[in-house]
Amino acid sequence: NWEKEFIAENNRISLKINDPHKKETKSSSVSILSDDYQRIIVDKRNTVDELKGKLAEKFKLDVNNFLLRRGNARGVEIKDSTMTISGAHLFNGTTVHIEIGKPSRPGEYRLIFLLCEYADDDEDIISYNYTELFELPCDQDMKISDLKPILCKRAKEEKDLDLDPQLIRIGEKSGERLGRICKDGQKLRKMNLYDRKTIAIQRLSQPETLSADSVIVLVKCFDTIRWTLSNFQEIVVDRNEVLDYFAERLEEKFGIPKAHIEATRTVAVYSFSKLDLLEQQWYKVHNSSYKLTDGPWYLSVDGVMFIIRDNRVKIRALTNKEKQDMSGDNWKSVSPLHYGSSHSHYRYERPKERALKINVKKREKDGEKNGDENDNSNGNGSGNGNGHGNENGNGNAKDESTENDDERIIEPIC
């Protein structure tokens, strides 16, 4: 009857749908009003499952081999197909993007996995090469030890890349560097997951065993005479151990007696310069009862870079020419990171100070130009009859409130 039809009409909405069979020629962030989108009328009370069935029939697809994203190709995946269309925040005019692939389930996240390798060692910084491998839906409760064999199998299938589950580590990509390393016993949810989060796979030369308190640090040795830095060494330390334990590991790696080792922590691995060592504070690590998690370093994450030196050799003073040579190429902005075989070194560019020019202009005093004329024309016309131009009986008509009022204009020179 007409009442049911009225209710049905009130719940009908129009959705914009892309044709999954057409190859995308435009950026995923392009306006949703593209000609590649079609309109479909649905009842917002229906479930997402029913919507997928209608789309599968329209585009001749297997309902289990495509997923829906809200908005565009970079939008949020609609994972719970049991909710209603309106419950999935699909309203009249909303764009729904069809993507061929296995849909994720509630509790799963589509993660992008990259192969991470150390780049050719730079004298100052530590940089990485990243190569995108594949995208994979992963359950947030999966353990890292269970994920590794899956990743190795997928890498072989898609990239013909031979990886050994015992010879890889999984870590978070933090900017351009490799951040927190995930231990085998941990679950994926520890990585603060979200869709399309980038996860790095790093190959190892030998198996490693990391505990929940293990931290991987990168260390370079500073030659205080030549003003050069050695190649970095990876060192696994326990964050709860004291600095004297750290000193023993450094002595093993670099051959400097731990009683003569001094160390400093760099603020940013990707923008470090040897000139920073002129301002760094050096600390002895021998016979220290402080923990690595305490001051002055407060070590809590992987990938931090330390510089060590032998305090038996004084730091040679640099000549002006050496300082200029070191600073010439060290503070440049480089193009952003691109996935692939290439890599970029980001360098912080110190902002130039701008001079300020301050001009002080005096505001013209009221009545300064026409004061005499006003006094003559006013005569005895106002006030309390005392023959003065001011109602308080004062003979002068100047404005004392603006006598010393200066206007200061600040003009920056760019």
Side-chain angles (χ1 to χ4, degrees):
N1 56 30
W2 68 268
E3 291 182 348
K4 290 183 179 180
E5 182 60 28
F6 178 80
I7 295 174
E9 179 64 25
N10 194 44
N11 285 284
R12 291 191 184 103
I13 61 173
S14 172
L15 299 177
K16 298 170 187 174
I17 307 293
N18 69 304
D19 187 343
H21 299 298
K22 289 186 178 180
K23 185 177 181 180
E24 294 183 14
T25 58
K26 298 182 180 181
S27 171
S28 59
S29 60
V30 170
S31 172
I32 60 176
L33 300 178
S34 169
D35 294 337
D36 294 336
Y37 285 87
Q38 305 178 20
R39 290 187 179 271
I40 184 173
I41 306 299
V42 296
D43 191 319
K44 64 182 181 181
R45 297 170 296 180
N46 291 343
T47 64
V48 175
D49 257 336
E50 291 173 309
L51 172 61
K52 289 190 68 176
K54 191 170 184 178
L55 295 175
E57 182 180 352
K58 179 178 178 64
F59 294 107
K60 304 295 188 286
L61 298 173
D62 184 342
V63 72
N64 296 317
N65 287 332
F66 72 92
L67 56 103
L68 302 180
R69 294 189 182 275
R70 188 188 308 115
N72 52 35
R74 294 290 178 181
V76 177
E77 181 184 355
I78 303 172
K79 301 177 183 179
D80 190 354
S81 59
T82 62
M83 65 172 59
T84 62
I85 292 175
S86 60
H89 302 287
L90 301 179
F91 308 107
N92 192 48
T94 301
T95 297
V96 178
H97 186 87
I98 301 175
E99 180 180 318
I100 303 299
K102 183 181 177 182
S104 304
R105 296 171 296 182
E108 287 186 339
Y109 292 89
R110 304 186 74 84
L111 305 178
I112 299 176
F113 289 91
L114 314 171
L115 181 64
C116 170
E117 298 176 300
Y118 288 115
D120 293 338
D121 195 36
D122 187 284
E123 188 175 352
D124 285 4
I125 67 172
I126 296 174
S127 56
Y128 304 82
N129 287 334
Y130 290 100
T131 305
E132 184 170 341
L133 297 178
F134 47 79
E135 183 178 300
L136 182 69
C138 300
D139 191 291
Q140 62 181 352
D141 290 322
M142 180 183 295
K143 288 186 177 181
I144 300 298
S145 56
D146 297 329
L147 175 63
K148 286 181 177 180
I150 298 175
L151 297 179
C152 294
K153 181 180 179 182
R154 188 68 176 267
K156 181 63 177 178
E157 293 173 349
E158 295 204 10
K159 299 295 181 179
D160 196 24
L161 183 64
D162 292 318
L163 297 177
D164 186 341
Q166 301 299 321
L167 295 176
I168 61 172
R169 67 164 66 123
I170 308 299
E172 295 185 74
K173 181 176 176 291
S174 177
E176 285 195 22
R177 71 180 183 87
L178 184 62
R180 180 173 54 180
I181 303 299
C182 300
K183 283 72 175 181
D184 284 350
Q186 292 179 336
K187 294 183 178 181
L188 268 175
R189 66 166 63 244
K190 287 284 187 179
M191 303 178 73
N192 301 320
L193 299 179
Y194 53 84
D195 280 327
R196 296 186 182 276
K197 182 183 178 76
T198 51
I199 306 296
I201 303 173
Q202 188 178 28
R203 286 187 279 200
L204 303 173
S205 58
Q206 57 185 9
E208 67 178 4
T209 302
L210 302 177
S211 69
D213 293 320
S214 295
V215 178
I216 298 174
V217 298
L218 310 174
V219 184
K220 289 191 173 190
C221 186
F222 175 39
D223 187 327
T224 55
I225 298 298
R226 298 183 179 88
W227 269 83
T228 57
L229 295 174
S230 68
N231 292 337
F232 73 89
Q233 296 282 346
E234 275 191 357
I235 298 180
V236 180
V237 296
D238 190 314
R239 72 182 72 202
N240 295 317
E241 292 289 344
V242 296
L243 291 183
D244 193 56
Y245 167 78
F246 186 35
E248 293 176 0
R249 303 303 310 278
L250 294 174
E251 183 178 15
E252 293 174 7
K253 290 286 185 179
F254 294 95
I256 303 174
K258 64 179 184 178
H260 299 289
I261 295 177
E262 290 185 356
T264 185
R265 172 181 171 174
T266 60
V267 177
V269 173
Y270 50 81
S271 63
F272 174 76
S273 166
K274 287 195 295 289
L275 288 177
D276 295 336
L277 296 174
L278 294 172
E279 301 176 358
Q280 293 287 102
Q281 181 68 44
W282 297 89
Y283 297 93
K284 290 184 177 181
V285 291
H286 176 53
N287 284 339
S288 175
S289 60
Y290 286 103
K291 293 183 178 180
L292 287 168
T293 52
D294 297 333
W297 295 325
Y298 303 102
L299 184 65
S300 61
V301 297
D302 300 285
V304 173
M305 185 169 79
F306 285 90
I307 308 293
I308 67 168
R309 72 183 184 96
D310 189 335
N311 64 10
R312 293 173 295 182
V313 183
K314 293 184 178 181
I315 300 178
R316 178 179 61 82
L318 291 173
T319 64
N320 290 333
K321 185 178 183 305
E322 286 176 320
K323 290 181 181 180
Q324 291 176 355
D325 292 341
M326 288 185 187
S327 61
D329 298 324
N330 283 337
W331 298 102
K332 294 196 238 177
S333 293
V334 187
S335 59
L337 175 70
H338 297 282
Y339 294 141
S341 60
S342 63
H343 70 280
S344 64
H345 297 176
Y346 169 79
R347 302 280 193 176
Y348 173 72
E349 184 175 2
R350 289 169 173 159
K352 296 180 180 179
E353 295 184 359
R354 295 181 177 180
L356 286 180
K357 179 180 179 181
I358 303 177
N359 294 333
V360 180
K361 297 181 179 179
K362 290 189 176 182
R363 183 183 301 163
E364 288 188 359
K365 301 174 183 177
D366 295 338
E368 183 178 0
K369 291 183 177 180
N370 302 320
D372 295 339
E373 296 178 5
N374 291 339
D375 288 343
N376 294 333
S377 63
N378 289 338
N380 302 327
S382 64
N384 49 14
N386 293 330
H388 300 285
N390 187 296
E391 64 177 349
N392 293 326
N394 297 325
N396 297 328
K398 65 181 180 180
D399 186 356
E400 294 181 356
S401 65
T402 62
E403 183 176 2
N404 297 318
D405 189 9
D406 295 341
E407 180 181 4
R408 290 171 171 78
I409 301 175
I410 300 177
E411 300 178 355
I413 298 177
C414 298

